[in-house]
Amino acid sequence: MRFLHAIWADIRFQMKQGFYLVYVLITIMYLIILSFLPEDVLSVALPLVVFSDPSVLGLFFIGGIIMLEKVQGVLSVLVVSPLRTIEYLLSKVVSLALVSVLAAFAITGFSQYESVNWLILFLSTVLTSGIFTLCGIMINAGCQTVNQYMIKTIPYMLLFVLPCVTLIGFPYSWVFTIVPSVAALRLMLGAYTGINFYEAIALIVYLTGVNYLFLRWTIRVFENEIIYQE
Amino acid sequence: MVQVINLNFTYKKTRKKAIHEMDFNIHEGEVFGFLGPNGAGKTTTQRLIIGLLRNYTGQIEVMGKERKKWGKEFYEQIGVAFDFPNLYLKLTAKENLQLISAYYKDRIENPDKLLDRVGLLPDKDVRAESFSKGMKMRLNFIRSIMHQPRLMFFDEPTAGLDPVNAHIIKDIILEQKSAGKTVFLTTHNMTVAEQLCDRVAFIVDGQIVVTGSPKDLMIEHGKRRIKVEYKQNGNLFEKEFEMDHLAENKQFTDILKNTDIRTIHSCEATLEDIFIKLTGRNLL
């Protein structure tokens, strides 16, 4: 129950702070741009746009959310409440994944792209969102200002986004699948262009494992940097 | 309720030894004041008991159990009001209470009643961002007691409040005490401490200098004298007398009989005087 309340609290917080409005505007902007693209370009552009939403945008959004909670001081209230660290973190992951899924489905649905595997799209969006949200929380833990967060985010962003380029015709691109963002994008591309069943299962298992490891790691970082300021 | 034995704590990052061999206890149902200047170790001690700092040596036993052994269920039983407002600014006063209340087993039954108690009922549907600092502090305060905690931690609870609202907050603290709740109060406001605390501890450089009831300390460190202010032939005079054998002091009884008495005060020390005397420091 407490966990469900935490998710609801996060949704309300994000809504009241105007994050959803930004999401709607960005989604509309994406749809307008995509509507001008020819079919063959769309098959590459659409997955990339949908992928950028839970990853790049997600990273900035979680940074903004945590920073706002820090500035308003509510984090200090939450740490002396019965809410567990894992509940706090997972509620952020779930609430942001929910928005990402809605945005991914809206963009894909309105683009009238044929032959979409909606289940794979759902799973890849959720798993991508989880990785980037947790990563954003970890980066944010040691930051005091938005500028600090932005600067600290850039190397992580490069580390995650650059290897994704290898998916476009790079001969040994499978090697880079070890990078979680590459695995996530590979799975998301599969939702649009088709994917081997076993490859999809392997990617889902791998990404779930990465999410779990990131969660354990984020709990440690969050407790050391934010709760216990020793 | 709280027993602290030989407590030591050093901050890892700065290597600053913040608490030195501290011993004190807080009885159930009392208001215990922790008094000291900024940087003395008041907040560090409070954070150690609350569980926001680890790696201490010594013992901190809270509600019958070593602090390290408590899990998150500990927070069901304590309430904390920090000395700065920490609210969801885009949410209304009532929404702020309801949102945090949802994390507790003992949910708030009637937020309006609590809001009314601190004069915020007319503003219950107003967003916290448009509140004054005093309004935010009042909302902060009631949020810390809404889940009926057994042990409460208040850090400068009347800071930034006008006298009327400060009075309301002090009344609520005394009501909580009457209901058997225990209060740990950190402040450098000696008047608040005198009015509210059953016992106080003076803390300087991470060490407790003295512990006792404000009244006992004031008598012990004061002079056993009284000061009389009186008017005679249109002029104002002031005179001090030893308390012992006062009734047999002819000069005193003559003043009582023949002059217009303006004030009579006993010369006990104020908590501030005692603090300066014992520590050689000012409180601010």
Side-chain angles (χ1 to χ4, degrees):
Chain A
M1 268 312 265
R2 196 172 44 224
F3 176 50
L4 293 179
H5 279 297
I7 296 173
W8 175 232
D10 274 328
I11 291 172
R12 268 168 85 185
F13 178 79
Q14 288 157 25
M15 203 184 289
K16 297 251 179 179
Q17 290 292 153
F19 283 91
Y20 287 12
L21 183 67
V22 175
Y23 250 105
V24 169
L25 292 175
I26 289 172
T27 304
I28 292 170
M29 192 187 74
Y30 279 155
L31 284 171
I32 293 169
I33 295 168
L34 290 171
S35 69
F36 288 111
L37 299 178
E39 184 72 23
D40 52 337
V41 180
L42 189 68
S43 64
V44 179
L46 182 58
L48 288 179
V49 163
V50 172
F51 180 73
S52 74
D53 198 76
S55 57
V56 180
L57 260 183
L59 206 51
F60 284 117
F61 273 30
I62 187 65
I65 290 166
I66 305 258
M67 203 52 83
L68 274 170
E69 285 187 344
K70 275 187 187 174
V71 171
Q72 296 181 14
V74 289
L75 256 177
S76 56
V77 178
L78 295 176
V79 298
V80 295
S81 81
L83 187 69
R84 271 71 175 160
T85 306
I86 192 166
E87 291 167 338
Y88 170 81
L89 297 175
L90 280 179
S91 74
K92 293 273 175 296
V93 170
V94 172
S95 60
L96 283 174
L98 190 71
V99 188
S100 293
V101 167
L102 287 176
F105 277 36
I107 294 168
T108 309
F110 284 113
S111 300
Q112 294 176 337
Y113 187 84
E114 285 171 16
S115 69
V116 178
N117 184 330
W118 294 97
L119 179 63
I120 299 278
L121 178 62
F122 171 78
L123 290 172
S124 60
T125 309
V126 168
L127 292 168
T128 310
S129 177
I131 289 169
F132 281 90
T133 302
L134 292 168
C135 202
I137 297 171
M138 277 191 274
I139 300 169
N140 200 302
C143 297
Q144 303 303 321
T145 63
V146 175
N147 285 353
Q148 259 182 353
Y149 178 74
M150 291 293 182
I151 292 165
K152 247 180 122 176
T153 304
I154 293 167
Y156 289 90
M157 192 86 86
L158 293 175
L159 197 74
F160 278 127
V161 175
L162 277 185
C164 291
V165 180
T166 60
L167 284 181
I168 311 166
F170 190 77
Y172 297 104
S173 65
W174 59 270
V175 177
F176 288 92
T177 309
I178 193 80
V179 180
S181 53
V182 177
L185 181 55
R186 195 180 276 277
L187 187 64
M188 191 166 281
L189 282 169
Y192 295 94
T193 57
I195 188 167
N196 175 293
F197 175 76
Y198 295 106
E199 187 187 350
I201 293 291
L203 287 169
I204 290 165
V205 169
Y206 175 62
L207 289 169
T208 307
V210 171
N211 266 279
Y212 175 76
L213 287 177
F214 272 37
L215 177 64
R216 303 305 318 171
W217 192 10
T218 311
I219 290 173
R220 258 177 65 182
V221 171
F222 188 83
E223 290 190 338
N224 287 334
E225 297 283 336
I226 292 183
I227 299 182
Y228 306 110
Q229 295 171 353
E230 293 162 342
Chain B
M1 178 59 78
V2 179
Q3 189 160 24
V4 172
I5 303 168
N6 197 24
L7 179 66
N8 287 279
F9 178 76
T10 303
Y11 281 99
K12 258 194 256 172
K13 283 181 187 162
T14 56
R15 292 186 180 177
K16 186 193 165 201
K17 188 155 192 188
I19 304 295
H20 304 260
E21 293 166 9
M22 190 179 275
D23 294 277
F24 67 92
N25 55 62
I26 306 174
H27 309 302
E28 188 157 11
E30 81 170 340
V31 179
F32 187 82
F34 225 48
L35 314 181
N38 294 331
K42 302 191 298 283
T43 305
T44 301
T45 312
Q46 195 191 58
R47 289 176 71 87
L48 281 162
I49 301 171
I50 293 171
L52 297 178
L53 292 171
R54 304 165 293 184
N55 303 319
Y56 58 86
T57 60
Q59 270 178 269
I60 303 174
E61 198 184 290
V62 193
M63 292 180 279
K65 199 160 141 183
E66 182 61 31
R67 181 61 194 88
K68 285 173 188 166
K69 291 181 182 159
W70 278 102
K72 266 278 188 177
E73 74 282 4
F74 177 71
Y75 296 108
E76 295 280 0
Q77 301 189 53
I78 70 157
V80 184
F82 296 102
D83 62 340
F84 52 89
N86 34 30
L87 304 162
Y88 287 99
L89 296 178
K90 296 280 179 194
L91 298 188
T92 67
K94 196 171 174 177
E95 286 170 339
N96 262 286
L97 294 185
Q98 287 168 330
L99 191 144
I100 297 295
S101 163
Y103 298 142
Y104 291 89
K105 280 182 192 147
D106 285 334
R107 304 241 168 91
I108 186 168
E109 301 271 315
N110 190 352
D112 287 3
K113 203 174 152 191
L114 265 182
L115 287 163
D116 193 27
R117 186 76 180 81
V118 291
L120 289 175
L121 191 59
D123 303 293
K124 67 174 181 175
D125 297 320
V126 176
R127 284 183 176 191
E129 63 186 347
S130 57
F131 279 8
S132 66
K133 193 195 171 196
M135 291 165 88
K136 285 177 184 167
M137 287 300 286
R138 282 181 273 155
L139 185 55
N140 237 16
F141 181 80
I142 54 171
R143 191 186 50 197
S144 70
I145 60 170
M146 67 181 172
H147 56 285
Q148 310 281 335
R150 284 174 66 191
L151 172 62
M152 282 159 265
F153 296 85
F154 300 133
D155 197 354
E156 304 290 359
T158 56
L161 298 183
D162 60 65
V164 175
N165 283 308
H167 190 77
I168 293 171
I169 297 296
K170 285 187 272 189
D171 275 352
I172 297 176
I173 293 176
L174 292 174
E175 278 167 23
Q176 295 291 326
K177 185 196 148 189
S178 307
K181 308 294 177 69
T182 309
V183 176
F184 183 93
L185 185 89
T186 49
T187 183
H188 54 239
N189 185 327
M190 291 292 167
T191 316
V192 169
E194 273 178 39
Q195 290 168 343
L196 296 179
C197 298
D198 296 302
R199 286 188 308 133
V200 293
F202 288 159
I203 173 168
V204 178
D205 295 333
Q207 285 177 307
I208 289 182
V209 183
V210 71
T211 309
S213 87
K215 200 167 183 184
D216 289 348
L217 288 171
M218 285 153 76
I219 292 170
E220 186 186 331
H221 294 274
K223 292 182 277 186
R224 282 194 50 77
R225 295 171 77 88
I226 63 158
K227 189 188 280 180
V228 185
E229 199 182 60
Y230 60 94
K231 242 181 172 180
Q232 201 168 30
N233 304 327
N235 296 318
L236 197 63
F237 297 96
E238 194 181 276
K239 199 143 185 71
E240 277 189 30
F241 297 95
E242 290 290 338
M243 265 188 197
D244 299 325
H245 314 296
L246 197 57
E248 294 140 35
N249 187 319
K250 191 169 180 313
Q251 200 182 3
F252 175 69
T253 48
D254 282 349
I255 288 172
L256 286 187
K257 279 178 199 159
N258 306 323
T259 68
D260 174 17
I261 303 290
R262 305 302 297 259
T263 61
I264 300 180
H265 289 291
S266 53
C267 295
E268 69 268 27
T270 65
L271 282 182
E272 193 152 6
D273 296 334
I274 303 165
F275 189 86
I276 294 166
K277 183 179 155 191
L278 293 176
T279 66
R281 306 268 185 98
N282 264 312
L283 267 166
L284 293 171

